[in-house]
Amino acid sequence: MLLEVKNLRTHLQTGNTIVKAVDDVSFTINKGETYCLVGESGSGKSISALSIIQLLPSDIASHPSGQIHFDYRHSDGDIEQVDMLQLADSRKRAIRGSRIAMIFQEPMTSLNPVYTIGDQIIEALQLHDANLDYQTARARAIEALAQVQIPSPEERVDEYPHRLSGGQRQRVMIAMAMACEPDLLIADEPTTALDVTVQAEILRLMQELQQRRGMGILFITHDFGVVAKMAHRLGVMRLGKIVEEGPLSKLLHSPQHEYTKQLIAALPENLARKRSITSAHETHPQTAELSDQPPLLELKNVKVYFPIKKGVLKRIVGYVKAVDDVTFNIRKGRILALVGESGCGKTTLGRAIIRLINPTAGTIAIEGQDITGLSAKQMLPFRRKMQIIFQDPMSSLNPRLSIAATLTEPMAVHHIGQSKDERIDMAREILKQVQLDPDYLWRYPHEFSGGQRQRIGIARALVLNPKFIVCDEITSALDVSVQAEVLQLLLQLQRDHDLTLLFITHNIGVVEFVSDEMAVMYDGKIVEHGSTHQVSNQPRHEYTRKLLAAVPRVPLNSN
Amino acid sequence: MSKTSQDISTNRTLQNQSYFKRIFTEVLTHWTARIGFGWIAILVIIAVFAPFLASSHPLLMSQQGQWSSPILAHLTPADATILAAFIAGLVLFFLKIRFLTKLAILLSVIFVSGLISSFTITPPELTIYEQYRENQSAQKYDWVVYAPVPYSPKDYLRDYGDTGLENPLADQDRTHWAGTEENGADVLSRMIHASRIALGIGFVATGIAMLIGIFIGGIMGYFSGVADMIGMRLVEIFEAIPTLFLLLTFVAFFGRSLYIMMIIIGITSWPGYARFVRAEFLRLREQEFVQSAIACGLPLRSILFRHILPNGIAPILVAASFGVASAILAEATLSFLGLGLVDDPSWGQMLNQAVQSATFNWWMAAFPGGAIFLTVFAYNLIGETMRDAIDPYVKKTTN
């Protein structure tokens, strides 16, 4: 047994209140094993990891009980079992980095931008082995970079972090963690900030390194797809406790605890199965009717270019082609999912459609009327027909306005409702539709949870009774169970109000659950467009194939 | 058990308040800010009621059975306006209406009362301060009620002969708690009246600077592009102007006027606010709630003043708090250099007197210097706590 955590409690003190972040957690990790901690945000999984490596600030964190037994391998090969909670600070430091290493979620901020990546690896090496001279350390740094498959490591070792992409930086972080040959690697959501194709590469790399080194990995994630790919055993955390623990296949296929069942049922893949069973009987005849519907939204050769200016005179030296010649239609009542990785231009396209950004060229027509080039005043009647829901529930509501003000102001501008009281009544009605208490009208945004705010965001889009809504990554900031609720609500509303949706996302599972049609965007262009069933099962374009192959999937129960 | 439920209920009320109320309560929980606000409140009350606190004119007297109040007869239009504004402000503070409406009402009360009082109130042009004391010693009055400090700031005590600098409480006949200045006027009385100038110049100059700064900064931030470029050049030009030397030049050319000083300090200190506002607008413009306000087709006016400005105002208020302090210091500096107001009392001018005569007159330095120090200190305390209150990062670490 490499690591044994016994009855660990971690209490965090904030002001006068004590938060029991980790509450009686026990688990073990063997050599060469990957143990996944899964849970929704705030369940205490990161705090558990930080407790193991003892990185929590001692003035706010305390451990009322618990033992963390770790097999400390001395440099001469002797193995001593130590309790991380009882060690002196100097010995903790010696273990940290050399025997237990950690990689974090955000690769963009975890490297120091003023040092080359080589210097940062060499510093870590020399810290743990004072006898190491610079040349050997450098050689080992290059070796470490080669190990994480950075191309031409002899040259990249002198590169500064800003020259590397997100995926490469995460590789460098892994190289740094691996440089001292640790026995235990703690990975705290290491791929959450990365695109799926990059994520697939990083996960593969970690598995390879584990096989070669035989180290134990504590992998923290909220993504069951990643869990299914990485874990040997896993523990499901909720409110600081591990509610269920066991080998991967057992937990996925026959979960015992109610919460684990809920979590697995909330996965978009599982939701999709439910829907497709029902839709096989009901919606298929309808889709034939729907295909006769005239297109609600028509995009023709839409381009959004951002000029790159240089020099004193701000000459335009080139363009960033965020959206490059996009043409498609959405028929009334349909849901089109726009899929792509970060930076492919999907958000820009969504904003260009509702004229938050002016397109450089092309036409965007809603109900046959071209809205490009209209002035703000001419746009006003069209604003009612098309709305947008945003990704970040924290910044999508004005923190200074009550929900009532947020919902009724657009109504007043568009002369919906005769008096203030009538508008308030309508706002109450809409809050009921998004399954919120109508009395929430008099509250301010900071009083709500992320999922509630996202519902309010949907309510705001609905107050104008629009025909078309752009949903820009609306569930990517939410936990799985909340995501499931919001998606089901959205589909319900879509049917009730006969809405047409453009659903922008990077989550393939969500796409398969939600959409009728699917368009794949790559580098500003639409590379493939067709019915969701067809595109996800028989992708024709090479990029679509690569993207779909990279998606970590939960192997579903056959019965 | 009851304690936790009480905790929850207080938490609940805290959460239900609007952002500004929360900030305000947060600020007031710090004792440093309470000291700051306390001192400013005392100063405001002293400034508003200065004529009733320190004046040679009796508050009330009876002459051969005839009651009269010379102090009311000698009120200036400015005194009347300040009193009206204070009462209006006090009433408005307790009314539950929108802040902008309150501000509009207050400004119109000041304007109207200023207009009316300047036409109706005409104090006697020649004031003889000694008459009351002479009459009283000649036993012409039945009884007299004097102000707590029975000397006007410009009462040079001519009836006592050749007076000059006197230590506090040096004379048996008269009580001067803070001594007298070189012309023989009571220092405490002059300090009380000078608090008006200190407060006035702070508020008005900062108000002017904030107005210009928010307007230009808002245009720069929201429209960006060409507007931003022109605005930033304007900011740089104004930042290059040394305020003190501009003030010196203006005083040399146009004579000494409090209003010119206020305006010049105002129009040279707006660039700082403009930069703050610009940065806030640039940041908030990309926020999703602003984007969705645009997507709902809300008018520009609402987007700028309802959705962006209230979210970006907090850092500007912090800057304003420090700005008031620096405006007070600028006026004090100018007066200290002998370029302030000629006859009207000001704290800086009294400091100047402290060092001018051959001997060091400690009371001329300690009292006005202390007042300047306390006032600037109070504003800085308020600014510091406000900055901590609006900064989520600081809050996390201190709690």
Side-chain angles (χ1 to χ4, degrees):
Chain A
M1 231 177 301
L2 177 67
L3 179 83
E4 184 181 17
V5 178
K6 255 190 199 166
N7 305 97
L8 175 70
R9 286 175 207 269
T10 306
H11 289 186
L12 301 178
Q13 181 138 19
T14 56
N16 292 322
T17 53
I18 288 174
V19 181
K20 293 180 182 172
V22 179
D23 197 5
D24 199 9
V25 160
S26 307
F27 60 89
T28 57
I29 301 177
N30 293 319
K31 275 199 132 188
E33 184 187 47
T34 304
Y35 187 88
C36 273
L37 273 182
V38 200
E40 305 200 321
S41 51
S43 60
K45 49 194 194 304
S46 285
I47 301 289
S48 305
L50 291 172
S51 303
I52 291 168
I53 198 170
Q54 288 288 300
L55 271 180
L56 288 166
S58 57
D59 54 334
I60 59 164
S62 59
H63 304 283
S65 78
Q67 287 156 340
I68 301 172
H69 292 301
F70 176 67
D71 285 346
Y72 177 30
R73 178 169 53 87
H74 287 275
S75 41
D76 53 14
D78 285 352
I79 286 177
E80 175 197 5
Q81 197 179 56
V82 293
D83 185 352
M84 288 298 285
L85 294 179
Q86 309 297 336
L87 284 185
D89 273 349
S90 58
R91 294 199 67 196
K92 278 183 196 167
R93 262 200 303 278
I95 293 178
R96 224 184 270 151
S98 69
R99 293 295 172 254
I100 305 180
M102 185 153 180
I103 44 178
F104 296 92
Q105 172 175 355
E106 193 46 78
M108 294 300 167
T109 52
S110 43
L111 285 169
N112 188 336
V114 298
Y115 295 110
T116 65
I117 54 174
D119 284 346
Q120 296 183 50
I121 299 174
I122 291 166
E123 189 194 357
L125 282 170
Q126 286 183 328
L127 251 170
H128 291 288
D129 189 355
N131 305 324
L132 212 62
D133 66 285
Y134 181 81
Q135 283 310 322
T136 358
R138 190 182 154 90
R140 273 181 65 182
I142 292 171
E143 194 188 318
L145 287 178
Q147 214 171 33
V148 295
Q149 296 157 19
I150 295 252
S152 53
E154 298 83 8
E155 291 156 34
R156 301 312 284 262
V157 73
D158 294 321
E159 210 78 273
Y160 285 91
H162 71 265
R163 300 271 309 243
L164 306 176
S165 70
Q168 281 176 326
R169 284 186 216 196
Q170 200 60 298
R171 282 167 192 269
V172 172
M173 283 308 294
I174 294 174
M176 269 173 85
M178 300 299 298
C180 296
E181 307 190 343
D183 296 323
L184 177 66
L185 179 68
I186 299 177
D188 187 359
E189 307 251 11
T191 56
T192 307
L194 304 174
D195 283 325
V196 265
T197 49
V198 185
Q199 166 174 297
E201 290 165 19
I202 296 282
L203 293 181
R204 200 180 310 130
L205 172 71
M206 285 177 75
Q207 280 173 329
E208 277 175 28
L209 287 173
Q210 185 182 31
Q211 275 163 16
R212 209 179 310 157
R213 288 281 186 67
M215 62 182 174
I217 297 181
L218 174 62
F219 199 100
I220 291 166
T221 185
H222 65 277
D223 187 339
F224 264 96
V226 176
V227 171
K229 213 167 170 141
M230 292 294 290
H232 298 117
R233 288 190 304 129
L234 71 149
V236 181
M237 276 194 90
R238 185 197 188 193
L239 301 173
K241 290 186 190 335
I242 291 186
V243 296
E244 190 169 1
E245 190 191 39
L248 174 73
S249 58
K250 182 171 162 270
L251 246 77
L252 279 187
H253 297 308
S254 52
Q256 298 301 313
H257 194 276
E258 205 48 46
Y259 180 67
T260 319
K261 286 182 195 166
Q262 272 177 30
L263 267 188
I264 291 175
L267 294 178
E269 290 88 343
N270 286 341
L271 296 174
R273 279 153 49 84
K274 273 188 210 149
R275 188 174 182 241
S276 60
I277 292 163
T278 52
S279 66
H281 305 294
E282 295 167 22
T283 53
H284 258 299
Q286 272 182 12
T287 41
E289 280 171 43
L290 280 172
S291 58
D292 300 334
Q293 294 268 9
L296 182 84
L297 184 85
E298 295 163 89
L299 267 64
K300 216 175 207 176
N301 306 103
V302 174
K303 292 175 186 168
V304 183
Y305 289 0
F306 297 112
I308 304 165
K309 290 173 181 171
K310 264 196 185 153
V312 196
L313 296 172
K314 302 260 168 164
R315 272 180 310 115
I316 295 170
V317 293
Y319 292 94
V320 176
K321 297 178 179 179
V323 177
D324 196 9
D325 203 9
V326 165
T327 304
F328 65 78
N329 297 339
I330 310 180
R331 277 194 298 275
K332 202 165 176 307
R334 283 299 195 100
I335 303 175
L336 173 70
L338 189 59
V339 190
E341 294 184 290
S342 56
C344 72
K346 54 190 195 305
T347 293
T348 309
L349 178 61
R351 295 194 179 195
I353 289 173
I354 58 165
R355 283 282 310 276
L356 288 175
I357 300 170
N358 283 327
T360 315
T363 56
I364 298 165
I366 181 160
E367 293 181 319
Q369 268 179 297
D370 184 9
I371 58 162
T372 46
L374 293 186
S375 71
K377 216 174 201 170
Q378 291 167 315
M379 246 335 263
L380 199 57
F382 294 100
R383 292 271 183 225
R384 248 189 98 159
K385 294 183 185 165
M386 40 213 285
Q387 279 299 308
I388 186 164
I389 309 169
F390 289 100
Q391 167 180 3
D392 184 5
M394 294 301 151
S395 74
S396 61
L397 296 170
N398 188 340
R400 302 288 181 282
L401 294 184
S402 64
I403 305 306
T406 301
L407 293 183
T408 53
E409 194 185 358
M411 294 196 224
V413 170
H414 290 278
H415 307 292
I416 300 172
Q418 299 302 313
S419 64
K420 204 179 163 197
D421 293 336
E422 197 182 329
R423 281 183 215 121
I424 294 281
D425 285 340
M426 292 163 91
R428 296 178 89 90
E429 200 48 51
I430 283 165
L431 277 191
K432 268 188 222 159
Q433 284 181 21
V434 296
Q435 295 161 12
L436 289 176
D437 184 349
D439 288 335
Y440 284 177
L441 273 185
W442 308 110
R443 298 205 182 165
Y444 286 88
H446 64 88
E447 299 175 48
F448 296 102
S449 69
Q452 285 174 323
R453 289 185 197 207
Q454 208 55 291
R455 284 160 195 260
I456 295 168
I458 295 173
R460 176 182 48 200
L462 288 178
V463 289
L464 295 179
N465 212 355
K467 296 196 160 90
F468 171 69
I469 299 181
V470 175
C471 305
D472 188 359
E473 301 262 17
I474 60 167
T475 59
S476 57
L478 304 176
D479 281 326
V480 208
S481 54
V482 183
Q483 163 174 292
E485 288 166 20
V486 169
L487 287 178
Q488 275 158 344
L489 171 71
L490 191 74
L491 287 179
Q492 173 78 35
L493 291 168
Q494 189 260 338
R495 257 172 274 143
D496 293 351
H497 292 255
D498 195 19
L499 293 169
T500 309
L501 302 181
L502 176 66
F503 201 92
I504 300 172
T505 185
H506 65 273
N507 188 333
I508 303 289
V510 171
V511 171
E512 287 167 0
F513 170 55
V514 145
S515 66
D516 307 310
E517 287 174 53
M518 170 171 172
V520 182
M521 202 164 173
Y522 179 63
D523 210 8
K525 291 186 169 71
I526 300 270
V527 294
E528 190 160 357
H529 181 191
S531 84
T532 305
H533 188 74
Q534 183 209 325
V535 174
S536 61
N537 289 315
Q538 295 142 354
R540 270 168 299 174
H541 194 273
E542 190 195 342
Y543 175 73
T544 319
R545 263 179 238 143
K546 194 178 147 203
L547 187 70
L548 289 170
V551 175
R553 285 176 193 272
V554 182
L556 292 169
N557 213 343
S558 49
N559 51 42
Chain B
M1 187 63 216
S2 66
K3 191 179 171 288
T4 49
S5 64
Q6 196 189 345
D7 278 358
I8 290 165
S9 68
T10 51
N11 234 348
R12 185 81 215 99
T13 46
L14 252 182
Q15 286 195 338
N16 238 339
Q17 289 164 343
S18 77
Y19 180 77
F20 280 109
K21 278 226 181 81
R22 264 194 300 142
I23 292 284
F24 195 65
T25 28
E26 165 92 34
V27 165
L28 277 189
T29 55
H30 297 267
W31 61 271
T32 45
R34 284 193 210 154
I35 292 177
F37 276 113
W39 174 250
I40 303 295
I42 292 171
L43 215 58
V44 166
I45 290 168
I46 288 177
V48 169
F49 296 103
F52 302 99
L53 289 174
S55 175
S56 299
H57 307 291
L59 297 177
L60 205 63
M61 63 181 191
S62 165
Q63 194 170 14
Q64 286 136 25
Q66 196 88 28
W67 286 27
S68 66
S69 172
I71 186 101
L72 287 183
H74 284 86
L75 276 189
T76 59
D79 293 333
T81 313
I82 291 173
L83 275 172
F86 180 74
I87 292 163
L90 214 57
V91 171
L92 285 172
F93 183 78
F94 292 105
L95 282 185
K96 288 208 166 182
I97 42 174
R98 279 178 53 213
F99 176 73
L100 279 180
T101 341
K102 283 185 184 176
L103 197 69
I105 294 177
L106 187 64
L107 286 178
S108 51
V109 164
I110 292 175
F111 182 72
V112 170
S113 61
L115 212 63
I116 294 174
S117 59
S118 64
F119 282 112
T120 52
I121 300 177
T122 42
E125 277 181 20
L126 184 67
T127 46
I128 307 154
Y129 298 113
E130 300 83 28
Q131 58 175 334
Y132 307 106
R133 291 191 287 268
E134 281 164 0
N135 286 348
Q136 197 189 10
S137 52
Q139 309 234 314
K140 283 187 185 171
Y141 300 143
D142 309 331
W143 49 264
V144 190
V145 181
Y146 281 110
V149 180
Y151 305 99
S152 286
K154 293 184 201 171
D155 183 353
Y156 299 124
L157 309 175
R158 303 238 157 76
D159 51 332
Y160 288 101
D162 192 19
T163 50
L165 284 159
E166 261 177 36
N167 266 313
L169 306 172
D171 198 298
Q172 272 85 34
D173 306 346
R174 300 167 269 122
T175 25
H176 298 291
W177 294 103
T180 58
E181 46 103 79
E182 58 186 9
N183 297 320
D186 184 72
V187 169
L188 187 57
S189 164
R190 286 179 79 81
M191 276 183 56
I192 287 172
H193 283 260
S195 63
R196 291 185 156 190
I197 290 174
L199 280 183
I201 201 147
F203 281 131
V204 177
T206 311
I208 292 172
M210 263 174 76
L211 268 186
I212 305 176
I214 288 175
F215 181 72
I216 295 182
I219 288 177
M220 285 197 293
Y222 187 77
F223 294 102
S224 64
V226 180
D228 190 23
M229 216 153 76
I230 296 171
M232 276 318 267
R233 297 300 88 77
L234 208 63
V235 163
E236 279 156 15
I237 290 168
F238 271 86
E239 275 186 339
I241 298 173
T243 311
L244 205 59
F245 291 93
L246 186 71
L247 276 169
L248 292 178
T249 321
F250 262 80
V251 167
F253 273 95
F254 301 103
R256 303 159 175 206
S257 156
L258 187 63
Y259 301 105
I260 286 186
M261 259 195 248
M262 287 176 178
I263 290 169
I264 289 179
I265 294 177
I267 60 175
T268 50
S269 55
W270 64 264
Y273 301 99
R275 277 177 186 276
F276 269 118
V277 177
R278 170 180 174 272
E280 284 294 312
F281 271 52
L282 277 177
R283 177 179 69 86
L284 290 166
R285 193 180 57 145
E286 297 303 324
Q287 292 275 301
E288 293 180 343
F289 63 85
V290 176
Q291 292 288 314
S292 80
I294 300 170
C296 288
L298 301 188
L300 186 62
R301 180 171 44 84
S302 164
I303 290 168
L304 286 181
F305 295 113
R306 240 171 104 82
H307 292 272
I308 299 186
L309 188 58
N311 285 292
I313 200 81
I316 300 154
L317 289 181
V318 175
S321 171
F322 292 116
V324 171
S326 75
I328 292 173
L329 276 182
E331 189 274 337
T333 312
L334 214 62
S335 302
F336 179 75
L337 293 175
L339 293 159
L341 304 174
V342 190
D343 207 17
D344 288 308
S346 103
W347 293 340
Q349 175 229 19
M350 281 186 258
L351 280 182
N352 178 25
Q353 288 187 2
V355 295
Q356 263 193 350
S357 60
T359 53
F360 174 66
N361 310 303
W362 66 268
W363 65 95
M364 294 296 294
F367 298 120
I372 293 173
F373 168 76
L374 273 180
T375 312
V376 171
F377 188 56
Y379 277 112
N380 283 335
L381 281 183
I382 295 171
E384 292 276 353
T385 17
M386 266 209 298
R387 190 170 57 195
D388 291 354
I390 64 165
D391 189 342
Y393 297 107
V394 175
K395 215 187 316 187
K396 260 184 211 156
T397 53
T398 52
N399 278 12

